[in-house]
Amino acid sequence: MKLRHLITIILFAHLIGGCATLKTHRVNRNWAHLEKWDLNGNENLDKDEFMKGYRRNKFFTRWEQKSRPINDSIFVGQLFSFLDRNDDNILDSIEYSSGRVLWTFHGNKDLDEWDMNDDEIVARHEFRQMASDERLSDNYDLTSNGWITGPEMAESMFEVCDKNNDGKVGAIEFYLWEVYRQ
Ligand SMILES: [Ca+2]
Ligand SMILES: [Ca+2]
Ligand SMILES: [Ca+2]
Ligand SMILES: [Ca+2]
C-alpha cells in the first residue's frame, strides 16, 4: 500500500471517529437511564417497565410529534427518514448496515436484501416495496388495523430491544438501543 493511501485512510478514520464523538455528545442530552425505568430495581426491564418508561419519556414522539397513532404508510416513511441520516433520500450501504437497523427492526435484519437492483443503494421505492412485501408494519401494528399507537410502538420496541429473547431488557441491550435510537 502506498503511503499516500495509508495517510488518506488514517485521516478518514479520524474523521469518522470525530463524527461519532460529536453524535455521542448530541445523544447524551436526551439520555434515558435504566435505573429510572427499572421500577422494581432488579437491574433489568420487563415488558411492563419498558413500556411505562417508553411512554413516560414520550419516545413515541420520534414517530409522531403529538403522540397520535400513525398509519402504516407514514410509519414506513418515518422509518426510512430515520435511517437516512444525511437526508439525501437514499440509504447507502453505511446507512442500511448501521446499528440503527439492528436496534429498530426485530431480530437481526439484513437490509442488504432490500437492494433489489444491487446498486448498493436502497432507494425509497425499494424500501417501501420490500417493507410492503415483508409486511414489516405487522411487527409494530400489533392490532393489525393499519394504525400504530404509542403503546403498540412501546411493546414493539421492547421486542426489538430484547435481542437475546430472554423476555427482559438487560443493561447492555438498553444501552445499545439508546445509542442507536437517537
Ligand atoms: Ca426491573
Ligand atoms: Ca442517505
Ligand atoms: Ca438499489
Ligand atoms: Ca434480553
Side-chain angles (χ1 to χ4, degrees), residues 96-130:
Y96 69 64
S97 310
S98 86
R100 285 190 171 203
V101 174
L102 184 63
W103 295 95
T104 309
F105 289 78
H106 294 67
N108 188 9
K109 185 128 202 72
D110 185 4
L111 283 195
D112 189 37
E113 292 162 9
W114 286 24
D115 174 18
M116 293 154 67
N117 63 354
D118 288 328
D119 63 354
E120 297 194 6
I121 284 167
V122 176
R124 194 177 275 271
H125 71 270
E126 289 175 310
F127 191 85
R128 281 205 175 273
Q129 182 66 51
M130 292 303 291

Side-chain angles (χ1 to χ4, degrees), residues 3-22:
L3 183 62
R4 184 162 51 91
H5 290 155
L6 188 64
I7 290 170
T8 308
I9 288 169
I10 290 170
L11 284 175
F12 189 66
H14 275 283
L15 185 65
I16 298 282
C19 290
T21 308
L22 276 176

Side-chain angles (χ1 to χ4, degrees), residues 32-60 62-63 102-106 139-140 142 149-163 166-181:
H33 299 280
L34 182 118
E35 60 269 25
K36 288 188 181 156
W37 291 34
D38 179 19
L39 302 175
N40 65 357
N42 68 346
E43 297 182 3
N44 60 59
L45 306 177
D46 59 31
K47 186 184 281 188
D48 187 53
E49 288 171 328
F50 185 94
M51 287 179 66
K52 281 183 176 151
Y54 191 95
R55 295 183 70 182
R56 206 171 44 240
N57 288 274
K58 299 186 169 28
F59 278 20
F60 188 59
R62 160 166 303 292
W63 310 101
L102 184 63
W103 295 95
T104 309
F105 289 78
H106 294 67
N139 293 327
Y140 306 87
L142 304 178
T149 64
E152 282 176 300
M153 196 55 149
E155 186 167 353
S156 303
M157 279 299 160
F158 174 80
E159 308 290 350
V160 167
C161 201
D162 178 18
K163 283 292 175 210
D166 64 353
K168 57 198 177 199
V169 167
I172 293 172
E173 288 171 323
F174 189 72
Y175 174 77
L176 290 172
W177 176 75
E178 258 286 79
V179 169
Y180 291 108
R181 184 188 64 87

